[in-house]
Amino acid sequence: MAKRNIILCGFMGSGKSTIGGLLAKKMGMSFIDLDRYIEKQENRTISRIFEESGEAYFREKEREASVTLGRKQGLVVAAGGGTLTFEENVKAFRENGRIVLLSITPEAVALRLKNDTTRPLLAVPDKLGAIKELFEKRLPLYEKAADIIVDADQSPMQVCAQIMSELH
Ligand code: S3P
């Protein structure tokens, strides 16, 4: 029987890509990082897409990718931090998959992304302020989208093990 997709949802820095790769290996599924998928299609980085074409353009590419990947099977998908705040993307992924929210605090995100320069939405002087503001808007949407919620403030192996036991 074909395996339903597993979609990892959560804020930037919650570990979606690391955990996604590990989880896919453990479960014998294929791993796709949504941002890398879009970058490959566009042949430029997320930062350049935002800079040259704007956020709305990126969101459109993200929507198209969600529809395409949502139709496939046997995938572990690391979504972008904004992907599942859009109802249509949630719908596209829900059809054939389960959504796992990696839960983390704004403070932990700020610490993890202290030296990161690849997230255009956090390229501001007050990073923690920007994170907190986005968190407030996004958390209820993430929680609404999620089938299960896992504490991401553990080792990747522990997070993986918890996802596997809860998805059974
Ligand atoms: C975004 C998160 C990023 C990337 C883009 C926008 C967001 O993905 O899709 O920079 O809106 O939170 P990660 O969560 O993988 O960093």
Side-chain angles (χ1 to χ4, degrees):
M1 208 180 77
K3 282 186 184 162
R4 287 172 75 192
N5 298 329
I6 300 172
I7 322 305
L8 299 182
C9 158
F11 208 80
M12 292 170 263
S14 58
K16 301 181 294 287
S17 304
T18 307
I19 293 175
L22 204 60
L23 187 66
K25 219 181 238 173
K26 281 185 171 289
M27 299 199 58
M29 295 167 77
S30 304
F31 173 61
I32 293 194
D33 184 297
L34 194 71
D35 286 338
R36 303 295 86 76
Y37 178 89
I38 295 170
E39 285 180 336
K40 226 185 220 165
Q41 281 197 326
E42 288 282 308
N43 200 23
R44 51 187 177 152
T45 62
I46 299 291
S47 295
R48 276 195 54 209
I49 298 173
F50 269 71
E51 215 176 281
E52 296 170 355
S53 308
E55 182 173 350
Y57 177 87
F58 170 75
R59 295 300 173 198
E60 178 57 23
K61 294 297 133 189
E62 185 176 55
R63 193 190 60 75
E64 287 169 13
S66 301
V67 170
T68 304
L69 297 177
R71 290 194 180 125
K72 297 188 190 283
Q73 290 180 328
L75 298 181
V76 173
V77 179
T83 314
L84 295 156
T85 63
F86 296 94
E87 185 111 27
E88 51 206 314
N89 299 342
V90 175
K91 197 164 162 253
F93 278 125
R94 259 273 168 77
E95 232 154 272
N96 192 33
R98 285 172 296 174
I99 298 173
V100 177
L101 171 58
L102 301 181
S103 165
I104 191 166
T105 64
E107 288 74 16
V109 168
L111 201 64
R112 286 184 183 193
L113 299 184
K114 201 167 50 163
N115 299 315
D116 177 80
T117 55
T118 66
R119 268 85 171 190
L121 294 180
L122 302 181
V124 294
D126 179 15
K127 220 180 211 179
L128 180 60
I131 291 170
K132 283 184 169 165
E133 202 174 303
L134 270 179
F135 245 85
E136 214 165 287
K137 288 190 203 138
R138 288 181 169 182
L139 195 58
L141 302 170
Y142 288 160
E143 287 176 344
K144 190 167 163 227
D147 293 294
I148 66 164
I149 301 177
V150 173
D151 178 10
D153 202 11
Q154 319 177 63
S155 76
M157 290 295 267
Q158 285 172 319
V159 176
C160 255
Q162 199 178 329
I163 294 172
M164 287 171 74
S165 78
E166 291 200 27
L167 276 185
H168 263 284

